[in-house]
Amino acid sequence: MFISFNASAQIPINGFCKYQSFKIPPEYTSVQSVNFNKDAFNDLIIFNNSTKKYLSIEGTEEGFSNIRVYKIPFEISKFKSISTNNFREKYYAYVSRKNRSVGIISFNKYGKIEIDKLLKFNSYPENLDVADINNNGKSELLISGSAFEGLSIISQNWHGLDEKKILSKNSFNEAIFADLNNDGNPDVAAFNSVERSIYFFFNDGNGRLNLVRTIPLTDNITSLKSSDIDSDGFADIIFNKGNSIKVMWGDSVSSYNSTTEFETSNRSINFILSDYNLDGKVDIAYLNSDNSKISILFSKGNRKFHSEILYLKRESISDLINFSNKINNGIIALTDKGTLFYLSTLFSLNEETNILIGGTPVSLTHFDYKNDGILDIVFIDSTNNNLNFLIRGNSKQPVSFYSYPLFERHDKILVDDSDPYIKTFYTYSYNKKVVEILKINFKEFGVTRNSLYSPGKIISLKLNKDDFGNEKIYIAYLKNMALGLNINFVQDIRILSSDYP
């Protein structure tokens, strides 16, 4: 008997499934996007924050080229673009944990770092954020870290850099600039891991930051960010904790009392925010370094997200960043084995296009939703043991993703493609006895499933219809070294079986 169950909602990916990979030298662990040669394409700086070497890689229309290796006097942990009074040159603030320093750098047209200013500490800075907190046209630097004393604001002056402590005798694993009280000035949110609390410091408009409240948390976090995720005009606070990503929703009175926790399949070590499917909503991509996976939660709007989609599982993924060019928002993933992966929007499909979404395909075939001549894709994902579907739109771009769990492990798919909207998928494996059947109504999002059990190990499976339109499923099998034929007649919701050993 066919059993009905609720279908998973279609997820609008709108073409976000293009996959490219590039080889680079191994043992580099962090990547950041810059445009050092000031052309139409963003470039990459790739480094290992335990060594004094880094790579500069030029972005091109086809991908990346011209890998150069450079040495620097000290290890760089992170850097961010800043504003200065020099409008002819682009500058960046950096932080170096091992060198116990922050500073200002620039890049020449080949990506070589040139050090402009430097400030040393007695403790170990780890994290960096930048904003113009006093409206003087120059960015201030917010410095924090688990082994760094307190929170520091670093200001640019004509003679170098000046430090001012916001708070001493504390340590903050993470700290960010965000407009917490909706007055147009950058405030500070900082996580104290000892107290497991988020501190809010409000900006008085002149760059003075005052502690106004603390918000206790139940767990430690590893990444803290701010974005207006629900597009209501108020800054939201986003952080990860265990197998979830939590959002504290901003409001008109800066209460941050409303929160939502989105469960993830794996522990998030780092996450990034952007509109990957180009629908105007903020999506979440996260890295799980334990299993070396990257997954995306696409926004539904109204403070809700679709079920996550596994996009990439490769050995030793160490970092991910947003990477934008002239036409779309993508993701760069880096492995310390020497590979860059670029996930982006696919606008047209051709023979040379690589698609990656939904795990690791072990079997793939096509069907034709609507019978409109535009072939759609179905595949078995061996990572999560799901049957996944990519539906292509009139532009032939993959626009929607569906996923349904399988009970057994299979590596073969057979499709009854006769009806325009109702498709039946048979999943099975040679030398096994189970056939799982999923009948999917793509127009009304209804799914029924059933299973067939062959009398022996399957060696072949075929489909046919009789004169009345009833399906026949032919299973050739092997049992006790003898060949047999099992014929199954599908009538309404029943399956009648006959066996011919």
Side-chain angles (χ1 to χ4, degrees), residues 24 74 142 154 161 171 225 232 254 286 321 338 344-345 367 379-380 389 411 414 421 424 456-457 461-462 491:
I24 63 170
F74 46 79
L142 174 63
I154 310 300
L161 300 173
S171 64
K225 300 185 188 297
D232 63 354
S254 308
Y286 79 89
I321 61 166
S344 60
T345 300
F367 65 103
F379 64 94
I380 296 172
F389 304 87
D411 57 17
L414 198 60
Y421 300 104
T424 307
K457 294 181 179 180
L461 190 148
K462 300 292 182 184
Q491 296 180 343

Side-chain angles (χ1 to χ4, degrees), residues 181-196:
N181 58 355
N182 317 308
D183 64 354
N185 296 310
D187 308 303
V188 169
F191 176 68
N192 185 316
S193 61
V194 177
E195 299 178 7
R196 290 186 178 177

Side-chain angles (χ1 to χ4, degrees), residues 77-181:
S77 304
K78 296 178 181 178
F79 62 84
K80 285 194 172 186
S81 173
I82 60 170
S83 299
T84 69
N85 287 335
N86 185 344
F87 300 105
R88 293 176 299 176
E89 190 68 53
K90 185 71 175 176
Y91 286 93
Y92 299 82
Y94 80 87
V95 60
S96 172
R97 188 185 191 281
K98 291 187 73 172
N99 193 49
R100 294 187 294 179
S101 68
V102 300
I104 307 298
I105 58 175
S106 62
F107 295 91
N108 69 14
K109 65 180 181 179
Y110 303 110
K112 186 176 182 179
I113 289 176
E114 298 174 353
I115 301 170
D116 184 66
K117 297 173 182 177
L118 183 147
L119 179 66
K120 296 280 287 187
F121 298 109
N122 293 321
S123 54
Y124 297 88
E126 293 177 24
N127 296 308
L128 164 74
D129 205 3
V130 298
D132 180 6
I133 65 174
N134 53 11
N135 300 305
N136 68 349
K138 296 186 292 186
S139 297
E140 279 72 40
L141 285 54
L142 174 63
I143 306 300
S144 62
S146 59
F148 183 74
E149 185 197 351
L151 284 174
S152 289
I153 294 291
I154 310 300
S155 302
Q156 305 176 59
N157 294 292
W158 66 270
H159 57 80
L161 300 173
D162 288 335
E163 178 189 14
K164 182 179 180 180
K165 288 288 184 187
I166 305 176
L167 198 64
S168 299
K169 299 179 181 179
N170 282 274
S171 64
F172 296 87
N173 288 33
E174 297 277 337
I176 57 171
F177 285 119
D179 184 8
L180 302 173
N181 58 355

Side-chain angles (χ1 to χ4, degrees), residues 32-37 41-45 57-59 323:
Q32 292 193 222
S33 172
V34 299
N35 187 0
F36 51 72
N37 55 12
F41 304 98
N42 283 333
D43 312 305
L44 296 175
I45 297 295
I57 305 177
E58 294 182 19
F323 186 81

Side-chain angles (χ1 to χ4, degrees), residues 201-458:
F201 300 86
F202 283 2
N203 186 345
D204 67 357
N206 296 311
R208 289 186 290 269
L209 293 155
N210 302 301
L211 177 63
V212 294
R213 65 182 295 199
T214 62
I215 301 176
L217 303 179
T218 57
D219 300 283
N220 280 320
I221 66 176
T222 57
S223 189
L224 179 68
K225 300 185 188 297
S226 177
S227 178
D228 184 10
I229 287 186
D230 54 357
S231 302
D232 63 354
F234 304 113
D236 307 312
I237 302 296
I238 310 100
F239 56 88
N240 51 357
K241 50 185 290 287
N243 282 44
S244 68
I245 294 173
K246 189 170 183 176
V247 181
M248 300 167 57
W249 303 103
D251 55 43
S252 60
V253 294
S254 308
S255 71
Y256 288 91
N257 289 333
S258 178
T259 63
T260 306
E261 196 165 327
F262 302 100
E263 291 188 2
T264 55
S265 298
N266 300 278
R267 183 174 68 92
S268 164
I269 192 66
N270 185 22
F271 68 90
I272 53 179
L273 308 168
S274 189
D275 178 13
Y276 301 113
N277 58 357
L278 305 178
D279 64 353
K281 305 180 185 73
V282 179
D283 309 310
I284 303 173
Y286 79 89
L287 167 64
N288 169 254
S289 57
D290 298 333
N291 298 311
S292 199
K293 297 178 181 178
I294 292 175
S295 300
I296 298 180
L297 289 79
F298 288 103
S299 174
K300 294 181 179 180
N302 298 317
R303 299 185 174 183
K304 296 180 179 179
F305 286 83
H306 291 281
S307 299
E308 72 178 68
I309 300 176
L310 171 64
Y311 263 82
L312 184 66
K313 179 176 170 57
R314 294 292 187 273
E315 185 182 1
S316 302
I317 300 176
S318 58
D319 200 10
L320 81 164
I321 61 166
N322 289 319
F323 186 81
S324 301
N325 58 28
K326 295 184 296 185
I327 56 176
N328 64 41
N329 300 323
I331 294 173
I332 290 287
L334 171 69
T335 79
D336 60 19
K337 301 295 184 183
T339 307
L340 277 176
F341 299 102
Y342 182 30
L343 306 176
S344 60
T345 300
L346 176 67
F347 292 101
S348 62
L349 195 63
N350 57 57
E351 292 181 357
E352 298 180 356
T353 301
N354 292 319
I355 292 177
L356 185 68
I357 187 173
T360 307
V362 69
S363 179
L364 182 147
T365 189
H366 60 78
F367 65 103
D368 188 358
Y369 172 55
K370 296 183 181 180
N371 290 358
D372 56 3
I374 301 174
L375 297 181
D376 308 291
I377 299 169
V378 55
F379 64 94
I380 296 172
D381 162 31
S382 63
T383 302
N384 294 316
N385 199 36
N386 291 333
L387 190 63
N388 294 338
F389 304 87
L390 278 175
I391 306 298
R392 297 166 67 199
N394 293 332
S395 65
K396 301 185 179 180
Q397 174 195 56
V399 294
S400 298
F401 177 83
Y402 300 78
S403 185
Y404 303 100
L406 295 172
F407 296 145
E408 303 282 343
R409 292 276 177 179
H410 307 289
D411 57 17
K412 299 287 186 294
I413 308 171
L414 198 60
V415 184
D416 178 358
D417 205 20
S418 55
D419 189 277
Y421 300 104
I422 302 174
K423 307 294 183 180
T424 307
F425 303 89
Y426 301 82
T427 60
Y428 63 100
S429 294
Y430 292 152
N431 294 320
K432 293 187 178 180
K433 297 182 178 182
V434 180
V435 180
E436 280 190 70
I437 307 170
L438 274 77
K439 193 172 188 178
I440 302 177
N441 187 327
F442 286 97
K443 190 174 184 180
E444 299 178 359
F445 307 115
V447 180
T448 55
R449 69 159 71 235
N450 201 350
S451 295
L452 290 177
Y453 295 90
S454 169
K457 294 181 179 180
I458 298 171

